[in-house]
Amino acid sequence: MDDEIFIPTSFFFIKYHHVQKSPMDEKQLTIQRKLYALILCSIVFMMVYNFTAWYISKLTDVPSFVFNFENYIPFIPWSIIPYMTSGIFFCLVFFFCQNKEQLKVLTQRILFVTVVAGICFLLFPLKFSLPKPEINDPVLGYSFQFLKVFDSPFNQAPSLHIAYAFIFWSVFRNLKKGRSFVMLWLIILGISTLTTYQHHFIDVITGSILAHFSFIIFPYQKNNFLYRNFHIANLYFLSGWCIILIVFLANQFIGETGLLFLWPGLMIILIGYHYQKNDIFFLKNKAGHIPWIKKIFYIPYLLIYRIFWRFFRKNRTPLEILPRLYISSRPDRESIQDFGINKATFVYDLSAEIEELSIIKDTAVYHSFPLLDIGTFDSSETQKLVTEITEYYQQLPPDGKILIHCTMGFTRSSVIGILVIKNILSLPLTEAITMMKTHNKHAVIPTYLEDFLKKI
């Protein structure tokens, strides 16, 4: 049977026909598709890069932008080796894609950063300004001569070496063997852009920003709930890199006090890392306590959540969704006193951002099960939690009750509440969702979460 295959990208469509005959034919077809994607991206890169380099070289005055501290960056001749391997990664990465969508997204991202970087080169032309020391080693010297011919000193910000390195890692991070080595090599490759005196620091930061823009605009597995944490993490990464750029610019033009604001930028990037790993205990431990050192480091993050909790939370008074089963936002002292708790009260704290009230931990039977805000749910752990709550509910003493709460009262408590209702009453999922929305008008259950609930 003849099939017509498209590889859509932001700027081009690759179209070809094939006949499905055997697994070997399909294997060859897959290699051919990857080769087409490589050729397309290579042609676009060469056209954009060479044209912008030629155009900028004709300008009479091309400025440079150098941060003050860059004079202390050492020139390391051997770092030309990892620097030049960017081309090898560029050729190999397409053949490590595991499925059509990964290849499509990789192609879209590379085309996007290439074209956007080319536009930036034309709008904000810059050149590298630090003189390179003499190189005595003949092999390394030849490498630098090669670089001088083929790597323009004008195409600076954003650095395509950096943007590509992030995109390469989005594919190579799935390796089963050699993953740590490739990660380390790509980090060294990124550093080498500075130590070979090919790029300035602003090129590195803007290259990082451009890469994460491409991750957000062209997400992988956009509608797959299991990848949601990656999408949220990329928003944090992008925000962190933007803050770092602003801080260094402020330091350059205002004064060194601006470097103090590097802290929130690094903090945001670290939060993105924890989202990527679905590290639900990165703030609160299993006892629901946030250590003082984390309170200090994450104070901007904690303060923002505290403000949102204070002014925008819903379900301040616990809602009874089943007899003696309640959901709410994280309660304050007044609401918990009105609610009334005792040794037969079970409290399930789903908040990952705010510590639980001491009165709850001291009086009730407290369980900490933090879930990252607007993030993914681990299906097996969620099932265990729902089973546990169901069992406790069925064995409640006459004066017992259960409270499930998250930070804001919109999604996390509602999702767990739906699953518990479904479990206890043996209802179809749609009826459990309807029942929840009837009791909790503030419940927010996005489509991607409904798909997740169906699997549970």
Side-chain angles (χ1 to χ4, degrees), residues 93 95-99 101-103 105-106 109 166-180 182-183 186 220-221 226-227 230 276-277:
V93 68
F95 298 95
F96 280 84
C97 290
Q98 298 173 348
N99 53 62
E101 184 182 0
Q102 191 176 39
L103 180 63
V105 171
L106 172 67
R109 289 172 175 175
F166 276 109
I167 295 173
F168 297 156
W169 177 242
S170 70
V171 174
F172 288 117
R173 69 185 310 278
N174 298 313
L175 289 174
K176 294 181 179 179
K177 293 183 179 180
R179 181 177 181 271
S180 298
V182 172
M183 178 181 66
L186 288 173
Y220 178 65
Q221 297 279 333
L226 297 178
Y227 284 84
F230 285 88
Q276 199 174 66
K277 297 294 184 181

Side-chain angles (χ1 to χ4, degrees), residues 224-233 235-236 271 275 278 301 305 350-353 370-377 406-408 410-413 415 444 446 448-449:
N224 189 337
F225 183 59
L226 297 178
Y227 284 84
R228 180 159 180 79
N229 276 19
F230 285 88
H231 307 328
I232 303 302
L235 291 171
Y236 276 107
I271 292 171
Y275 260 86
N278 196 29
Y301 181 72
Y305 263 100
L350 309 181
S351 170
E353 308 84 22
L371 298 170
L372 298 179
D373 194 13
I374 63 174
T376 190
F377 291 60
C406 55
T407 302
M408 302 298 293
F410 291 110
T411 300
R412 288 170 284 185
S413 57
V415 168
V444 178
Y448 63 80
L449 266 176

